Amino acid sequence: MGTLRLCSCYGRRGIAATWGNGLCYSEAPTTAPISSRQGRRLASTEAGAVATSQLQVELANASGMVGFWQTLSNSTPVAYMQEALTQIHDYSGLPWWASIVASTLLFRGVVTLPLTIYQHKITARIEKIALEMPAIVEELKREAAMAKHKFKWSDKQTQVVYRRSIKKQWQKLIVRDNCHPMKTLIVLWGQIPLWIFQSVALRNLVYMLPDPTTLKAQIIATEMTIGGFGWIPNLTVVDQSYILPVALGLINLGIIELQSMTRTRPATRLQNVMNNVFRGLSIVMIPVACTVPSALCVYWVASSSFGLAQNLFLLSPEVRRAVGIPKTKAELEQPYDQLWLKIQQRTGQIESGAEQKSADKN
């Protein structure tokens, strides 16, 4: 709605400017040569046409973005999420800030936690079948050498057959243990849509969308103006103290560093690149969070806090066995001690040698 108003104002200014230019040229001294006046009018017409075409492009782009957000705001999943948030608030009797936190814990506990556990199971299975590959590779090498001698293959032909055999055996192991590597992305398939739908649903509740004229929307928006806590009593305005936006950035950075510090194998180049990308996104989210209503900030901080606690929770070997995640060689025996040593190392409290000795003990 704000974009439409901005575009309409811009359009009126552009039209007024073009009309004003026309008046200037029409009021030029009549003593100028006719050819000169015609040239000026032609230049004015061409400039006006260019300005109009540029304005049309800008309006088309703006209307496209507005149309996308309007479609998302009016979508069925967002409508269901709005209704769920409203029902949780009404039946729980909690203030809106606590209702947002409770719904976040509920949805993430029902959706993303099981998916995360399943992802860990798939990763553990992949690690286990990878341990079977060295023996298979040695056997295939012997078979390739025998086939090369028997069928008089060239080195290139032998390498092609050998690589195909390795790929085939790897695929057989994946099918046997039902652990396709693409399944390790299952958390993103569940978490990203949930994050988007709940964010848009909260935004709709704050701005009384999709229909501001309904009494229900007006009541919810009014409740949110007094449904905050502490330094943000009004959830429909931004957090002027910037506490929640900064907390959001720090928690997201904490999740990334936690995953980096608990990795038992050296990070690949792609992993390092992705870590840096996510670090950058965590920092970018801080100014973004400074511009949205506090209701959204409360949700984002609660969701990120759940993610951090979830990652810490699933580091425990006892918890992993309890939820059925197989034990692997890459699993840390004393993950919290190892994590604390990593933190001390990064902050310069201990040297890397002490951390390495502790890792050897584990």
Side-chain angles (χ1 to χ4, degrees), residues 124-133 136 168-180 183:
R125 292 177 192 172
I126 293 174
E127 187 175 343
K128 280 183 171 293
I129 66 174
L131 298 177
E132 300 181 32
M133 284 303 295
I136 295 175
K168 186 176 181 180
Q169 291 300 319
W170 176 251
Q171 293 295 332
K172 284 184 177 180
L173 293 176
I174 288 176
V175 173
R176 185 196 70 187
D177 289 3
N178 190 22
C179 57
H180 196 283
K183 291 183 177 181

Side-chain angles (χ1 to χ4, degrees), residues 282-302:
S282 299
I283 296 174
V284 169
M285 281 298 295
I286 296 177
V288 172
C290 290
T291 62
V292 300
S294 298
L296 281 173
C297 280
V298 170
Y299 165 59
W300 290 348
V301 170

